[in-house]
Amino acid sequence: MTGIRLTAPAPGWAIDADVVVVGSGVAGLTTALRCAAAGLATVVVTKARLDAGSTRWAQGGIAAALGEGDTPEQHLDDTLVAGAGLCDEAAVRALVTEGPDAVRRLIDTGAHFDTTETGDIALTREGGHHRRRIAHAGGDATGAEISRALVGAVRSAALRTIENALVLDLLTDAEGRTEGVTLHVMGEGQHDGVGAVRAPAVVLATGGMGQVFSATTNPPVSTGDGVALALRAGAEISDLEFVQFHPTVLFLGAGAEGQQPLVSEAVRGEGAHLVDASGTRFMLGQHELAELAPRDIVAKAITRQMQLQGTEHMYLDARHFGTEMWETRFPTILAACRTHGIDPVTEPIPVAPAAHYASGGVRTDLTGRTTVPGLYACGEVACTGVHGANRLASNSLLEGLVFAERIAADIASGAETTGRPRAAAPGVPVVDSSRERTVPLLTAESRGTIQRIMTRGAGVIRSAASLAGAAEELEALRRAAADAEDDGPKDAVPGVEAWEATNLLLVSRVLVAAAREREETRGCHWREDFPDRDDDAWRRHLVVRVTPDRRPVVRTTDSAAFPPVRAGEPADSALPTSLRNQPADAPEEP
């Protein structure tokens, strides 16, 4: 335990449950539905509306070996190559073997995927996939359809939900075991202000941290709250340096900030070409899959061309699709482009990389357990080992499905919670201030400052100098907040904007600490001062914890294998016998 928590009022209300799920994307709602089906009293807490998370914005689809001739083994091979030698093969094998049935159960829940004339699920290709295995819905509105189906199922099951609630910190007992969470409810509802949900099992499904950077595809709620909470609770974080920048984000100008429109990889999967201003395709000869190379390779190629030609963007040319294909297959992207004055039917789309997905996160085993007893993590907030150094396109929704089911099964089995009451004592819980240290809060304006620091120093291209500069500026922000608190009246008062900015600072400091440590280029971590991949020194993971004095401490694992989350447990203890003792070596990138 670190004994660190956010500065916040004491909880003024409380409810009890068997499990509280924080987040309402595919990972969170699937976990909640499975836990409720197992008879567990389940509460879903979400930062905005149930359908407002990152799942809703997913365009391309969900990857699974559903097509004729495709196999989980082929899906595994593509995932390992994209992960650049750092995937945990046992985790990937669980993903690809359990994935097809998990998708079918999603369909049974009510999700409707696009189909062919014969009634089969329509499949497309995306970067890094050698086969068509991406199931999609509404052309390019897959996430919205999945969210609709899961939210509908949650409503039908009458699960208890708390919307517009920002999770603050983990409640733990004297031994460091999970007892629930504190949260702040915004706006009208049954509860208001800071309260608590007391439960022996907490599942973090809070999504990503794209708002660390100025330009991102993530919604405004993606401020790394789950990672920050886990760090303050003493959990280990792994591979946070591997932030995937999506290659093709609609370029809205050099000063554009906040959530940017995504141009799905599926557009390239259907035959669009990346070109420069003269119309020259620059991916030919750079990779066997050209425009469908893994995302890190495409993002780097676009960035290199921008540097060489002194431009701020490249182009995605899909004029040959014609009007009908654009309107039926990619209606969402077509509308977004036209809203910003670009008609992809008649002109190439200006694109540039932007922050998209965190391949690392809260370190878990293969049942979603973290290094804090009773705390689980699932989806983008988690690091299961599936993604390695670079996520394979459309594996994220599948990971949420598969590992949500594994988490629910583990909680239902009582593996972490047997014999533990829902709450230690009746009444409203009181945070024991004698063993807690509060984090000085940042002002709301600090959010933009952090984003600019991270974009400049830890963006697509990094170096020792840029990362050192970012670390120094972030530390200055932390010191300024501490000094302001020591001096008396605070500029930052407890509230959502201050808590979010403070979470962003903690996550940024940990990301920069890991990126400084990894002196190589691998996957989506690009060090211009160490341009080569170095398997001898760096085919291993970086694990970060925060000390009680709020200092990130980085350690390196002995190999590419993940250590167990609990001392004395074998690393593959969560696997069924058929999945244990698989070889750890991943194929080299072509």
Side-chain angles (χ1 to χ4, degrees):
M1 292 187 295
T2 65
I4 306 170
R5 62 180 175 86
L6 288 170
T7 300
W13 54 269
I15 59 176
D16 292 343
D18 293 320
V19 55
V20 54
V21 177
V22 186
S24 59
V26 63
L29 295 188
T30 301
T31 304
L33 287 167
R34 298 294 182 266
C35 285
L40 297 168
T42 304
V43 175
V44 176
V45 174
T46 190
K47 194 172 178 180
R49 302 184 315 277
L50 281 182
D51 65 349
S54 292
T55 291
R56 172 187 168 197
W57 298 98
Q59 293 176 346
I62 184 167
L66 297 165
E68 184 178 353
D70 197 6
T71 65
E73 200 69 25
Q74 294 176 66
H75 189 182
L76 180 143
D77 288 344
D78 285 345
T79 301
L80 295 181
V81 170
L86 280 188
C87 295
D88 181 274
E89 184 165 339
V92 179
R93 195 171 292 277
L95 178 85
V96 299
T97 55
E98 298 172 21
D101 284 341
V103 172
R104 295 182 184 104
R105 285 188 288 274
L106 178 62
I107 293 171
D108 291 340
T109 302
H112 301 293
F113 289 94
D114 296 338
T115 57
T116 66
E117 293 180 356
T118 60
D120 297 322
I121 295 176
L123 301 173
T124 190
R125 279 183 68 192
E126 290 186 0
H129 294 272
H130 283 78
R131 282 189 174 273
R132 285 183 170 264
R133 65 168 66 97
I134 315 300
H136 48 84
D140 58 0
T142 309
E145 170 58 19
I146 290 174
S147 181
R148 181 205 62 77
L150 290 174
V151 169
V154 165
R155 301 288 193 208
S156 296
L159 265 68
R160 189 166 191 174
T161 61
I162 304 176
E163 296 181 273
N164 301 306
L166 172 65
V167 68
L168 299 176
D169 281 300
L170 194 72
L171 292 170
T172 57
D173 64 16
E175 284 74 45
R177 298 182 306 174
T178 295
E179 286 195 324
V181 293
T182 56
L183 61 154
H184 174 78
V185 180
M186 304 164 273
E188 298 179 359
Q190 182 179 354
H191 305 288
D192 198 9
V194 175
V197 180
R198 302 181 296 191
V202 171
V203 182
L204 296 178
T206 52
M209 56 183 197
Q211 291 292 326
V212 160
F213 298 94
S214 297
T216 177
T217 63
N218 289 192
V221 295
S222 297
T223 50
D225 307 316
V227 171
L229 174 150
L231 283 164
R232 288 192 296 271
E236 291 185 348
I237 308 300
S238 188
D239 298 355
L240 209 63
E241 68 271 29
F242 297 118
V243 176
Q244 187 177 80
F245 285 75
H246 198 288
T248 53
V249 175
L250 183 62
F251 180 74
L252 300 181
E257 295 184 345
Q259 186 178 10
Q260 310 291 300
L262 177 67
V263 181
S264 170
E265 202 155 288
V267 177
R268 281 175 280 139
E270 296 292 352
H273 301 144
L274 283 166
V275 299
D276 61 17
S278 68
T280 302
R281 290 179 65 185
F282 54 86
M283 285 303 301
L284 294 176
Q286 297 208 32
H287 190 278
E288 62 166 344
L289 296 176
E291 280 90 356
L292 288 178
R295 286 180 177 172
D296 63 308
I297 294 172
V298 179
K300 289 172 188 175
I302 291 174
T303 303
R304 286 193 189 99
Q305 289 299 315
M306 288 162 52
Q307 291 175 325
L308 288 171
Q309 299 183 18
T311 61
E312 296 175 326
H313 61 82
M314 289 286 113
Y315 293 92
L316 187 65
D317 191 353
R319 289 174 290 179
H320 54 285
F321 284 6
T323 303
E324 182 179 357
M325 182 172 178
W326 269 111
E327 290 178 346
T328 58
R329 181 66 179 87
F330 300 112
T332 306
I333 298 170
L334 177 64
C337 288
R338 286 177 169 170
T339 296
H340 293 283
I342 299 152
D343 188 351
V345 176
T346 60
E347 60 185 316
I349 306 168
V351 293
H356 182 57
Y357 190 89
S359 292
V362 186
R363 191 168 75 81
T364 74
D365 67 9
L366 298 186
T367 55
R369 291 180 293 172
T370 73
T371 51
V372 175
L375 179 65
Y376 295 78
C378 189
E380 189 174 355
V381 70
C383 181
T384 62
V386 160
H387 304 308
N390 179 57
R391 176 177 67 98
L392 181 66
S394 289
N395 268 356
S396 50
L397 292 175
L398 190 70
E399 182 193 33
L401 280 180
V402 168
F403 286 87
E405 293 183 344
R406 284 175 157 251
I407 287 172
D410 194 67
I411 296 174
S413 74
E416 291 277 16
T417 59
T418 299
R420 295 176 58 193
R422 291 186 185 178
V428 174
V430 177
V431 176
D432 182 1
S433 59
S434 66
R435 63 185 180 92
E436 301 284 348
R437 286 172 294 279
T438 58
V439 178
L441 298 179
L442 274 67
T443 62
E445 293 74 23
S446 300
R447 177 171 178 152
T449 303
I450 293 167
Q451 291 171 334
R452 288 186 287 274
I453 290 170
M454 292 297 290
T455 298
R456 184 171 58 248
V460 179
I461 306 175
R462 304 162 178 177
S463 68
S466 75
L467 291 166
E472 183 177 343
E473 291 183 88
L474 294 172
E475 175 61 17
L477 281 177
R478 188 196 68 79
R479 285 198 306 268
D483 291 344
E485 185 168 85
D486 292 341
D487 290 343
K490 306 176 184 66
D491 291 330
V493 296
V496 173
E497 292 180 333
W499 288 322
E500 286 183 332
T502 304
N503 284 340
L504 285 172
L505 178 62
L506 177 57
V507 172
S508 296
R509 292 177 65 217
V510 171
L511 191 161
V512 168
R516 294 180 76 180
E517 189 79 11
R518 185 173 290 280
E519 295 181 334
E520 66 158 355
T521 290
R522 181 186 297 270
C524 50
H525 172 67
W526 185 3
R527 287 284 298 264
E528 60 181 346
D529 48 344
F530 293 95
D532 300 319
R533 171 171 156 175
D534 184 354
D535 281 347
D536 290 340
W538 289 108
R539 189 159 177 254
R540 56 199 68 205
H541 302 277
L542 297 178
V543 177
V544 186
R545 291 186 100 136
V546 170
T547 63
D549 63 357
R550 302 190 291 275
R551 182 171 52 91
V553 176
V554 185
R555 69 180 174 90
T556 307
T557 61
D558 294 331
S559 69
F562 271 114
V565 296
R566 303 281 195 276
E569 288 185 357
D572 64 352
S573 62
L575 281 174
T577 304
S578 61
L579 296 179
R580 292 183 188 168
N581 301 317
Q582 299 295 335
D585 290 339
E588 295 292 323
E589 282 189 64

